[in-house]
Structure formats: C-alpha cells, structure tokens
C-alpha cells in the first residue's frame, strides 16, 4: 500500500533534512512543475479529483481555477496554508508538519506556481512550537538551495514563504477569518460576496488550502492523476490521514486509502476498544461532525460514505465515545469549546452557543428539566447552516443535534437522577 | 427596475439593492439591526431573515439574510413564512437573553429600535434562565452616555465611529458573548461625530448625555423641524422641547445635505437656549447708567418717543440672525443705513464667495461633496469650520473602492466586502492647509503653506489645467510637483471638487479656488466648489447686500445724531472690543436686540431679548445658497420674541410702512420677496403657515404627549390653551395631523410600530433617498452660463520675517462658534487659549517647552502657553479664534513673539 | 518605548507583510515573549511603534487566546480540556494541578512559578491527556507523572 504523504515520517525521529529528502525524490515535483505551465498543474490537480482536507471537501483544482491568471492578473497573489488545526480531536496536520516539513515546503512551491503566487504563508497554530522550529529549518534550507526566493531553480518563477504563528483562536481556521488575522486584525469571518480567489488578502487573489490537501500536490505532479486516483478504494481517490482518539487501544494517525471503513480504522488500526469498555458511538471527522453509532461502522470513510449515515468525513480523525463515558459530559466539553471560540460576530453563534453550553452544564449538574432538553433542540435547530454567518456554529450543532437523538435516554437519566449517572 | 415577489405579490424594485433595503422601501415590516442605510450590510445580527425560493415551483425555500441578498430580477421571497418568522423570533430571543430588560430606567425606552423589533417579532416570553453577563461602563466625556449591559453586539457603533467617521479612539474588544464596545480606557470620545452613536446604536448603550440631564420621554417631547445654527452648512435637525426647556437636537435626514449624520457641535450646541444668563427681559438704561428691567410696552413707548419722528436710524445686521430679522431691520432703517454686521475682512470674503458662485463656480451641496471622486481642499480646515463637510469628504474617497468592488462584482452595499477588497484604495483627496488637520488621515497627500502660498498653489494647479502661462509667474519646485499631481487627479475625475472657505480671511484663496473650478469647467468637467462659512446665514446676508462695519467706522461723524440698532450681533467679536465701544459711545442712542449676553449689553440703552433659533421660525441661506426654513419648537417665556417682531414693534411705534402691517412670518417673507428679487420664491422654501393636511395643521407633539391636564392635576385641572402659532403650519399640541407632511415640515419621525429614529424610512421615497414631499430646496444662486475671465491676480509668495511671525486664525469646532460655546457640554470641550508655533520658530523666540509666550498682535498684548505644531510653515504661527477666553484679534496679522518674563 | 531587541524582532517580521498593521499580532507576541505578558504600557508601546490606534491593538489583544493582558507566572501551563483529553480524564489532571499549584484555572501559583490555563485541543489527541508547559508539549500525562513534570520545571 502506498503512503505518499507519510512515507518519510518515522515516529519519534527527526524529519528528513534537505539532502535526505532530496535523496528520496524530494523536490522532484518542483523541477517537474517548473517545466510545465501553471495551468497544467491545476488541470492535473483537477483531474486527480483532490478535495480539500480542511473539512469542507471542496475540489482543490476548481478553487485554483478561479484565480485570475495571465499577464494582466493582479499581483501580488497569495497562497495560504491553513495549518491552524484547532478542531478538537484533529491532529493530522501536526503529523505532516512535524514529520516532513520539506514535503510541506515543496507542496507550497508547486501549488504556488500553479496559481503564480508571489507570497505564501503558512498560518500555523501558535501552540505548534515544534512544527514551527522544523518548518523554519526546512524553509531556511530551501532558501539556501534556491528553492524559494526569486527565480526558483533558475526559472522565472519566484516565491517568498513566510510562517505566521497564530495567537490562538479557532476562528482563525475559517479561511476568510484567517485572512483578517493575517492582516493584523480580529479573526472575524468575511462575507462570501466575493471569492478570495479574486479578492482575498489585502484585496488580492488568494487561495487558502489545508496542510494535508496541499501535501498531496507534489505527488500528483510526480506520479500523475491516474496514479493518484488509483490510491483510493472504490470511487474514492487518493489517500487520507485518518486518526482515532478516545479509549481505543492504540490511538494514532494512519495514512490509508480514502474509503477505508470506519470499522477498519477503529478496530484494525486503533486496535479496538480498551479492555473493559465498549464502543458506543463516534464523531468520524472531528468535533464538527455528527455522531455515528455502531450501525454506521461499516461505512466507507470518504466524502459520500459518511454522509450516507448522516455525518461527514470532516478532518477524518475519529473521536470514539465508549460506554463508560458520559455522552452529556462529552457534549458539554464540545459545546464549551465552541461557545468559547465563537468570535462574537453573529447573534446565533455568540448568544446561542453560550446558551447551549449553559444548558448542558445544567444537565451535567443534575439541575435540568425536560424543558431544557427541548430548549437544546430549539437551539440545535436554529444554529444550522444558512442561519449563521459562518460554519462554526453549524459545525458545533452537528454533534449536538445527533447527540440529542442518540443519547436522549442519557439526558433524561440526568433529569430523573438529578445528577450525572456516570459520576459516583 | 426588477420584479420582486414578496409572498406572492409582485413589486417593482431596484436590482442594485439588497432585499432588506427594498422591503423597507416598500414599507414592509422586516426587522433588522446591523444594517444601516448609510453603513450598508454586514450580515452580523441575522435578524432580517427571509425565505428565498428558487422559482415558482419551489415551496421549500432556504433562509437567507435579506440584507445580504441582492434584489435580483424575479427573486421570490416570503416574509411571513413560518420558518423565517420563527428564526427571527429566535434571534430576538438570543439578543434579549443578554439584554437587561431595563427599559423603564433606560433613556432609549419608548424610542428604542430593539423594543420595536422585539414587539415586531412577537417575543414576549423569556426562556433564558441563566445569569446575564455584565460589563463596566465608561466615562466617555460630556456628550455620550455608556451603558454596555444593553449591548446586542450588532457592531453598528464601531462601524460608524471607526469605518465611517474615521475615529481611532474607539474599538471592539473581547470576543464570543463578551464583546465590548468602547474606548481602550475611560476618556472623552475624540471624534467630532461621536454623538451619532446615540442614533446609530439601536438600543440604549449610547445615549445623549445632555438629554439625560433634563430627561424627557420621546412621547412627552414637543418637536419641530429645524436647521442647525452653528455653521454655514445648514444641516437639518429636529429639536425637541418640554416644559420650556430645549431638551435635545437630533439629526433630521435630508438627502442633499446632512443625510443621516450630524456633527457634535450641531447636536450638543443647543443648550445656550436654556442658559440662565441669557437675555430674557426687556431692560433700559436709566439716567444713572444702570440697566433696569422695564415692561416691554412701556419700554417700546419710551423708545419710540425718544426716536421721535425723524431721528435717523442705523442698523447693524447679523449673519447669525434670520433673513426675516435682517430684512426687518433693513426695512426699518432704510437700505442706505443698513450695515452688514461684519468686518472688512469678513465682508471681502463674503463678497468674493458670492461673486465666484455667481460667476464661474457652481456651489456643491454636501451630497455633491460626498459624490465627488476627486477633491482638493484649499486652505479650509473643514473639520473645524464645516464639520459635516469633512465627514462627506471622508466618504468621497471611497469612490475608488466602489469602482473596484463593481469590477469584482461586489455590490456597494456589501460594506465590509467592499472595504476588504479596497484594501485602503482611495479616490484622490488632496489637502492644502496651514497646519495639520483632522482629515489628513483620509488624504492622498497633504501640503502645508501660508494662506497666500496656498492661493499661489491654487493658481499653479489652475495653470497646469489651463496650460496657460499665468503671467509668467514661477512657482517653487515642491509646489509644482504637488500641483502636477493634483491637476492630474482633478482633470482625470468625473466629478471634481474644490473645497475652500473664508476662515483664513484670505480672499485670494477664494479667487484661486474659483479659478481652478473655472479651469476644470473649461475642460468640460462638471467641477464644483464647496465653501465653508462660519455662520448660519453668512450667505443670506451677503445676498441681501450692504456695507460692512468698516464703512460705518469711517462714517462715525454722523453717529451722534443717530439711533443705532444692533441686531443679534456681538460687535466685539467683529471689530474688537475697543472699536465696538467707540461705535456704541458715539451713537446718539443704542438698541440691542439679542439673546446672548455680551459686552454690547453693557453699552446699549435699550435691550430687547430675542428668540433663539428654537423659539422663532425663520429662513436662512446656507453655504450652497439654499434657502432653508427652521421652525419654532416652543413659545419663549418672559419678554422674548423673534427679532423681526421687535423691529416690527418699533416700526409700528414710529408708524413706519410696511413693517407696521406685519403680523406673521409670511408677511415679512412676502415683503422680502417683493423688495429683493434675489429672494424670489423664498416663502415656498417650506410650507407656509396656511398649509393644511386633511384640513389640519401639523402637530408638534405625538399622540401620546401626556396630559397637559394630568401633569399638574394636583394644582389645576384646567387645560391651558396651547399658544397659537401664526408663523408656521405647526401647532403646539398633539392636536393636528400626525402623518407624513412634506419633508421640510416633518416635526418628528414616527410610524406605527416604529418608535425609534429608524422610523425615518417610512418617510422616504426609498430608504436612504429623499423624503416624500421634499423638493430640491430653494437654491438662490446660479452661476453665469458663460465662464467669464478667470481671476488672475496671483499674490506674491509668502516671505517669513525675522522680527515677526504671521499669525493665522485656528478654528475650533468647539469654541470658535459663539452660540454653541454657551452650552455647558460644549464648554467642556473648548480648548484653553494657546499659541501654536513651529518648534524652530519657538526656539528662535527663545521659548522652551513649558514657557509662556508673550505676544503682540496689532495693538493686543497677550501671554499664552505655547504648543508645538511642527507642521506649521516656517514663519507662521496660529492663534485660536473666537474662544470665550481669548481676546478678539484681527487675523491674519503679523505679530511679535517672545518669552514672557515671570 | 519598545526595547532594542523587541524592535529588532518586530522588524525581522516586517518584510513578510504588506502593511504595518499586519505586524500587530506578531508584535504583541514578541513583546509578550520578552515581558511575559502585555501590560497596558506595552500595549501602548506597540500601538505607538506600529502607528496603530491603541483601540485597534487592544481589540486584537483581547481577541486572541494566547495574548495575556494580565501578569502570568514564570511559566504558563496550558491544559488541553477539549473532547479527547476530556474523555481521557483531563478533569482529574486539572484537579491535581489546582491542588498542586494552589490556584484555580486562570490563576498563578503563590510562588509565581506557574500560571494555570486551559487550552482548546492541542492537536495531540492520540496522546491524551496532554498539556504544555511553556513551549513544550507533554503527552500521556498522568497524575503520577505530573509532579515530575512540574518538578523539572517543564
Ligand atoms: C470554524 C472553522 C474552523 C476551521 N478550521 C480549519 C482548520 O483549522 N484547518 C483547516 O484546514 N480548515 C479549517 N476550516 C475550513 C476552512 O474554512 C477552509 O475550508 C479550508 O481551510 C480550505 O482548505 P481545503 O479546501 O484545502 O480544505 C475551518 C472552518 C471553520 C468554519
Ligand atoms: S453598542 Fe449598540 S451599536 Fe454597538 S454593537 Fe452594541 S447594540 Fe450595536
Ligand atoms: S440586518 Fe441583516 S443580518 Fe443584520
């Protein structure tokens, strides 16, 4: 099985330095890309069917195609790597950044070339200090080797790459809010009246992509779209970094063919549940996805498969809830996070999420009534897509709405016992 | 036009607008918060949700925010859709979850947009049972009160204050449900437009602090449409009174003038009307030289007896008095004895302004300033002298951003998207000024120079535009470079504008500006000129015509035989106290008609208390030559009456025609129209007193104005008859028409279910557009059809002197205007007297930081603290004008400066 | 005035951005790096140095989680309290920390060595529960290993 994204990554070993990375074929994609037209790269990415791994799954080549190209395109153009990774339960980008920083740099150069970006930013989560050091070292090496800066490898294409270390806010991961953060402001989302591909950072054409999304690009350039497609299972294309956390035997992250089943991830790769606990449900793609119960385990973890059981692939990192853990408490932990991280821009989000967290806390404290359950429902119904300004609150409601369905009895036990049944 | 289907009904709408804008324009009730007609859409509050259907067959639909959705042709929406209604109710519930429900003690209560929207969505039951968040409030200075707990996080305040008005000392802090709107620390809100927060905030976070000091609910206020008396722009205001006290001033929308916003001087300058020290009683000087109260009738009789049949009368008019008052004076004293109550410099400037406007430069309204796509400000510090114009100019620089947005397919109402796409892109705004100004941050480039050098700059630009030699004059290279850039920008614009004014007392500057406008018009561009003028009726007085005080001073030999009548004028502010004293001393007899107590009161033999703008109706002419009617809001107490009535009474006593026949304002207006053709049509500037709507006069009080009977029921159960108003179509009561009268006569904006200022949209043809029944106004000045010869008199370059500095006047929004300076809140913002010097010049004079400067300007000696203004040109200093604590100075003038000995 | 070093660090970032305003967040982090937290004074200095309104800088400073506007201890402990760590028992960890450091979340230990904060998911859910002490991430933290971590000073 091919694992292009993680092939150079060894647990608890430092990443490959430039020479070693080159020895295993690193930066070949840069050479190949520079010999082609930018449009050809975009076309290849489109053909490969690469979709965004930041959670929304938007086709990457389509996004790039919206960038104005040619002699009278506005400049500078920007490529931004979304390395904010603050979604609870997600830890795949950290693996790529710490494990193979040169792959990230190469991905930036090749992708930047495709849209003819002049500057690229890696918008890095502030707490990722190790990733920052390693990326910094890789970028220095790349500059020294003429892979970054003006006239890359003697070509007419130049690119400056900067790392921006975030001051911490989940909203920064939302692509348009991220741009406001890069501009030195509050990370408030932007209206979707205009595509960032046309007017983004400082009003210039800008593409924002997730770390994992971009890391695929050099491999597509090296091996072609057909190869990339062949990596997936069934209709799915490419590989995906899946992860599992919670009370499984071997929590971790693995690069697997896209379309691997949820059951395979939890039972084979994560080793199944720890002794003494049993599987209850899971969030298949991070905190912003809906619960999937036992019945949904055989679904293929790809863009369509997970949707068929009412959830989403999201970031592909599974959070497992076991039968010894209080689902209400888990929801409280999730919703406290979302309420805390709301940026304060739109009413449903800043007020509604606070209310949700307060209500869940009341259940947890054994003070809730059945009415409070209905109130939670009302909130969940009205904090969904289209009602709010951005995706934060709707994402938050995925776990809540499904949790209210799945764990109604648990909620009611909190009401009737006037305490959390899971606490002594 | 496009077709919009709302709940199955077809409407014709403007496709360049959004759905909310169009629904409100159609008069439909759709609640909203974060959207504002002048601030555009940002989609934050989520209150304006409607159901949008794909096509006729779609019955499912999706929820969209009306303010964020274009009103494209064929759009189908529903406002009554259950899902949409339900969501709107949720939004209010979320807002109210953190709102303190303190309406009974909130100043906004009864005129609160949040209250209105809560009622509109039907939210009556509280389900949120957790503690509400609380915040500390800030002391924001004398104008605005802060009560953060009431905030609903709609972001309007910060969008107005920072994005729209360019404020920098206000912001948004924190996040999630703990967002705080205020300053980084307690302190005075520095922006000149801070008072608009009171109207922009849809709830009671920001309220009018001066109203708080004599608080009255909206439904107990008596209101009238008025015109701001504090500068020459003539912004429309609504003034409100209760119980003989003027309580507040609010913005009164006008599409051509002030739109939705007022400056703080206009909003907070009103309280001079209530000042205990103002003139209220008739008084006369006795033999011992003391001023004694005297009943009006007796006083008038005595005065007329003394004037006898043939004592010549001399009248001194005033640019702060109405046309009617000035005309009454002119009629009484005869035109040859009628003097415009201003100095030679003021006269020269006023004449030049009128001449250029009639000659080559059409005058711009504030709306036209805002729509200009390239502006040169030549010499006038408009933030201080014509504040609302500065706000308009600040918006004008956005045209480049609008153009870029359009090219990107972003509708201009998408406020933040447009700002983000613009990334600081600005239309050209060039500022030439003596010193740094508060508009500089919006400018493309600034240039500093002495007044004459700015005039030269104007000619240098004009020469580039007309490619003439300008008399072989050469200009320094820095000036050439700047003028080249300005010329290129102006010539490349579709609607170029030159802004100047009279505040520097430099007619050459006005000539230069006119020359420039002429040159641009010769190029075929619709260039306009915008003028800053210090007083509300400067243009009106200039149109009336007459000689200046200078001429009067030349003719003092005839004064002793004459009776001098001074109309609403503090002569010491025009020609200095000494000269004013001389005039008073030489006159055989003096009559002063004014509301303000000033030095003249101590000199006059007869003092007649005049009505202020709030106590009389009348007409003034603003900077663009627009005649504007302001209406009395209450009957003044004591002996106070409109100046023209005092003059009429004297005329009657003396049997003078035609003033003895005047009984109502319209009588004066009609005589004025007949006598002076320039004022033809003046009476129609607003509905006349005979105007009726459904047979009724217009009520100044709202329906709910609580009982005249009830308030004083413990004393007297009789209803007192309200005074009658023969001067206007309005009544002093709630009896009368309450609907929507013609624009200039709307006493208050109110519509069923819309108790806040946002009711305004019910009075507009379309939201943000002109008021129903509001014409273009009466413009009295039109430029000549043919562009005549340009002015070509280029002043010589300014040459700094070793022994003296050239002092220019520095105007202050708070302090330089005499009426507003009498309001306690404004008084708190008046700077202490100072002299501003360029640090090098100060050093040459031996001044170190903290030293006191000794000045000699003309005959006046002064000791003042000095402050460093590094942007002043070499050899030029500046002195504040008009501050109550500053003596009068004839400026600009050369003066000596040295370090004061202890 | 910002120190020589602070200014140098800020200027090193300057070429990365199209505007001075964009330096705001980096500048705050740099100053915090030197001084531990961003005092009112420091905030004003950053505003003055970048030519930005104080209100803007404060708006930014109060928005982001990792800008501290109050004094902190010598080291800041960030305990992940998000979902995976919550499942794996971060609450017990927090209780231990509260007792050990004699302070609640948001407070500083009496000896001034540690400030205890919670953090959203630290992206190491496969090693939950985790916490950061200063710049260093500690994985699979248990009540047993905790004293050791604190003893070493992180
Ligand atoms: C609240 C919120 C947080 C997000 N956080 C992240 C993130 O941390 N990393 C990320 O790549 N995408 C995140 N996204 C998704 C981005 O908005 C965007 O879709 C993504 O970066 C695009 O990259 P992709 O097309 O490569 O997936 C977030 C979205 C929302 C609404
Ligand atoms: S203070 Fe007023 S204007 Fe500002 S966000 Fe709150 S409610 Fe809106
Ligand atoms: S008015 Fe439309 S979202 Fe606020």
């Amino acid at each position: 099985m091919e694992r292009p994204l993680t092939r150079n990554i060894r647990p608890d070993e430092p990443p490959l330095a430039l020479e070693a990375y080159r020895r295993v074929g690193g930066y070949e994609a840069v050479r190949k890309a520079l010999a082609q037209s930018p449009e050809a790269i975009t076309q290849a990415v489109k053909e490969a069917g690469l979709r965004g791994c930041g959670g929304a799954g938007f086709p990457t080549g389509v996004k790039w195609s919206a960038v104005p190209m040619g002699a009278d395109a506005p400049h500078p153009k920007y490529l931004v790597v979304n390395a904010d990774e603050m979604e609870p339960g997600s830890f795949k980008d950290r693996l790529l950044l710490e494990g193979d920083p040169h792959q990230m740099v190469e991905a930036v150069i090749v992708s930047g070339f495709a849209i003819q970006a002049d500057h690229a930013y890696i918008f890095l989560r502030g707490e990722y200090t190790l990733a920052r050091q390693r990326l910094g070292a890789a970028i220095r090496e790349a500059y020294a080797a003429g892979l970054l800066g003006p006239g890359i490898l003697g070509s007419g294409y130049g690119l400056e790459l900067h790392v921006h270390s975030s001051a911490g806010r989940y909203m920064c991961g939302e692509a348009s809010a991220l741009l406001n953060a890069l501009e030195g402001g509050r990370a408030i989302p932007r209206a979707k009246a205009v595509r960032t591909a046309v007017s983004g950072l400082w009003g210039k054409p800008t593409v924002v992509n997730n770390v994992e999304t971009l890391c695929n690009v050099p491999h597509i350039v090296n091996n072609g779209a057909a190869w990339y497609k062949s990596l997936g299972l069934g209709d799915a294309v490419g590989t995906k970094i899946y992860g599992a956390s919670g009370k499984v035997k071997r929590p971790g992250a693995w690069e697997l063919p896209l379309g691997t089943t949820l059951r395979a991830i939890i039972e084979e790769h994560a080793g199944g549940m720890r002794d003494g606990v049993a599987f209850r449900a899971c969030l298949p793609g991070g905190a912003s996805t809906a619960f999937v119960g036992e019945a949904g385990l055989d679904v293929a973890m790809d863009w369509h498969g997970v949707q068929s059981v009412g959830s989403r692939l999201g970031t592909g990192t599974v959070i497992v809830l076991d039968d010894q853990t209080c689902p209400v408490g888990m929801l409280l932990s999730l919703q406290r996070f979302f309420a805390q991280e709301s940026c304060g821009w739109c009413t449903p989000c800043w007020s509604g999420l606070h209310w949700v967290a307060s209500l869940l806390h009341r259940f947890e404290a054994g003070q809730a009534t059945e009415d409070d359950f209905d109130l939670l429902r009302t909130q969940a119904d009205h904090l969904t897509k289209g009602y709010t300004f951005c995706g934060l609150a709707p994402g938050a409601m995925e776990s809540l709405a499904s949790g209210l369905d799945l764990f109604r009895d648990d909620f009611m036990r909190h009401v009737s016992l006037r305490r959390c049944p899971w606490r002594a | 036009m496009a077709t919009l289907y709302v709940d199955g009904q077809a409407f014709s709408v403007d496709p360049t607008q959004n759905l909310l804008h169009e629904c409100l324009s159609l008069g439909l009730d759709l609640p909203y918060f974060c959207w504002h007609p002048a601030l555009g859409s940002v989609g934050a509050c989520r209150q304006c949700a409607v159901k949008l259907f794909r096509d006729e067959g779609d019955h499912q639909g999706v929820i969209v925010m009306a303010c964020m959705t274009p009103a494209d042709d064929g759009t189908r929406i529903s406002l009554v859709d259950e899902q949409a209604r339900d969501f709107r109710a949720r939004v209010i519930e979320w807002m109210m979850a953190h709102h303190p429900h303190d309406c009974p003690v909130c100043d906004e209560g009864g005129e609160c947009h949040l209250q209105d929207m809560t009622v509109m969505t039907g939210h009556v039951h509280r389900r949120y049972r957790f503690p509400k968040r609380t915040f500390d409030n800030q002391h924001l200075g004398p104008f605005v009160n802060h009560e953060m707990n009431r905030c609903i996080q709609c972001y309007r305040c910060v969008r107005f204050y920072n994005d729209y008005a360019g404020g920098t000392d206000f912001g948004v802090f924190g996040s999630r449900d703990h967002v705080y709107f205020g300053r980084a620390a307690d302190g005075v809100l520095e922006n000149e437009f801070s008072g608009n927060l009171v109207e922009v905030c849809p709830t009671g976070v920001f309220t009018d602090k001066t109203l708080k000091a004599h608080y009255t609910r909206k439904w107990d206020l008596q209101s009238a449409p008025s015109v701001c008396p504090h500068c020459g722009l003539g912004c429309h205001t609504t003034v409100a009174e209760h119980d003989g006290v003027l309580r507040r001033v609010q913005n009164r929308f006008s599409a051509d003038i002030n739109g939705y916003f007022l400056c703080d001087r206009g909003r907070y300058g009103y309280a001079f009307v209530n000042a205990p020290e103002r003139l209220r009683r008739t008084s006369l000087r006795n033999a011992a030289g003391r001023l004694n109260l005297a009943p009006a009738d007796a006083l008038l009789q005595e005065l007329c007896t003394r004037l006898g049949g043939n004592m010549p009368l001399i009248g001194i008019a005033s640019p702060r008095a109405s046309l009617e008052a000035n005309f009454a004076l002119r009629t009484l004293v005869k035109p040859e004895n009628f003097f415009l109550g201003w100095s030679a410099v003021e006269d020269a400037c006023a004449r030049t302004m009128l001449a250029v406007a009639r000659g080559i430069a059409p005058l711009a309204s504030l709306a036209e300033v805002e729509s200009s796509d390239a502006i040169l400000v030549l010499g006038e510090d408009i933030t201080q002298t014509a504040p609302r114009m500065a706000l308009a100019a600040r918006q004008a620089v956005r045209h480049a951003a609008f153009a870029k947005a359009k090219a990107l397919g972003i509708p201009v109402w998408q406020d933040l998207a447009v700002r983000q796409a613009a990334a600081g892109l600005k239309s050209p705004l060039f500022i030439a000024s003596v010193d740094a100004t508060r508009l500089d941050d919006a400018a493309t480039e600034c240039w500093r120079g002495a007044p004459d050098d700015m005039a030269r700059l104007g000619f240098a630009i004009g020469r580039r535009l007309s490619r003439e030699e300008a008399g072989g004059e050469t200009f320094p290279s820095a000036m050439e470079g700047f003028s080249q850039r300005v010329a290129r920008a102006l010539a490349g614009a579709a609607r170029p504008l030159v802004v100047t004014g009279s505040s520097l007392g430099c007619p050459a500057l006005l000539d230069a500006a006119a020359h420039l406008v002429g040159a641009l018009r010769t190029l075929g561009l619709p260039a306009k000129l915008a003028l800053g003028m210090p007083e509300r009726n400067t243009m009106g007085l200039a149109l009336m015509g007459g000689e200046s005080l200078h001429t009067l001073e030349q003719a003092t030999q005839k004064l002793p035989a004459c009776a001098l009548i001074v109309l609403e004028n503090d002569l010491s502010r025009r020609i200095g106290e000494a000269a004013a004293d001389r005039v008073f001393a030489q006159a055989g007899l003096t009559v002063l008609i004014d509301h303000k107590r000033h030095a003249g009161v101590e000199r006059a033999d007869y003092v007649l208390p005049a009505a202020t703008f709030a106590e009389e109706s009348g007409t003034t002419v603003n900077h663009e030559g627009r005649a504007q009617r302001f209406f009395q809001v209450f009957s003044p107490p004591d002996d106070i009456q409109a100046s023209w009535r005092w003059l009429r009474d004297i005329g009657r006593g003396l049997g003078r025609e035609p003033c003895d026949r005047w009984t109502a304002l319209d009588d004066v207006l009609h005589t004025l129209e007949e006598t002076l053709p320039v004022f033809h049509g003046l009476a129609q500037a607003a509905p006349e007193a005979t105007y009726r709507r459904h047979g009724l006069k217009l009520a100044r009080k709202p329906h709910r104005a609580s009982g005249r009977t009830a308030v004083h029921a413990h004393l007297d159960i009789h209803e007192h008859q309200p005074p009658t108003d023969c001067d206007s179509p309005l009544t002093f009561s709630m009896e009368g028409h309450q609907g929507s009268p013609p624009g200039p006569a709307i006493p208050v904006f109110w519509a069923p279910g819309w108790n806040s200022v946002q009711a305004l949209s019910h009075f507009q043809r379309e939201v943000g557009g002109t008021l129903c029944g509001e014409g273009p106004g009466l413009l009295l000045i039109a430029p000549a059809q043919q562009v005549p010869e340009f002015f070509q008199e280029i002043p010589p370059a300014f040459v700094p002197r070793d022994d003296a500095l050239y002092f220019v006047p520095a105007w202050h929004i708070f302090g330089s205007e005499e009426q507003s300076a009498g309001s306690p809140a404004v008084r708190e913002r008046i700077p202490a007297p100072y002299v501003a010097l360029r640090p090098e010049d100060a050093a040459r004079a031996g001044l170190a930081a903290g030293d006191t400067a000794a000045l000699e300007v003309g005959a006046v000696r002064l000791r003042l603290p000095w402050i460093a203004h590094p942007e002043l040109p070499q050899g030029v200093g500046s002195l504040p004008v008009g501050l109550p604590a500053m003596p009068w100075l004839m400026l600009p003038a050369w003066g000596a400066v040295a370090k004061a000995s202890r | 005035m910002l120190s020589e070093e602070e200014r140098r660090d800020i200027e090193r970032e300057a070429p990365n951005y199209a505007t001075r305003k964009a330096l705001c967040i980096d500048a705050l982090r740099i100053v915090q790096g030197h001084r531990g937290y961003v005092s009112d004074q420091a905030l004003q200095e950053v505003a003055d140095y970048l030519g930005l309104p104080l209100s803007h800088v404060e708006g930014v400073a109060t928005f982001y989680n990792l800008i501290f506007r109050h004094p902190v201890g010598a080291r800041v402990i960030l305990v992940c309290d998000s979902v995976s760590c919550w499942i794996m028992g971060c609450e017990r960890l927090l209780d231990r920390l509260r007792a050990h450091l004699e302070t609640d979340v948001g407070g500083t230990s009496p000896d001034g060595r540690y400030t205890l904060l919670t953090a959203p998911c630290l992206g190491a859910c496969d090693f939950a529960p985790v916490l950061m002490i200063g710049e260093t991430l500690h994985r699979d933290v248990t009540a047993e290993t905790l004293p050791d971590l604190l003893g070493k000073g992180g």
Side-chain angles (χ1 to χ4, degrees), chain B residues 782-801:
Chain B
Q785 291 300 313
Q786 290 275 304
V787 175
E789 278 292 281
F790 296 162
F791 304 85
Q792 288 289 6
E793 229 170 278
I794 304 176
F798 172 76
V799 185
R801 276 167 39 183

Side-chain angles (χ1 to χ4, degrees), chain A residues 52-54 63 82 84-86 170 173-175 208-210 213 392:
Chain A
C53 307
K63 190 187 275 187
N82 191 341
D84 194 49
E85 197 163 59
M86 269 181 84
Y170 176 53
E174 201 278 343
V208 182
N209 271 123
N210 173 257
T213 314
L392 187 145

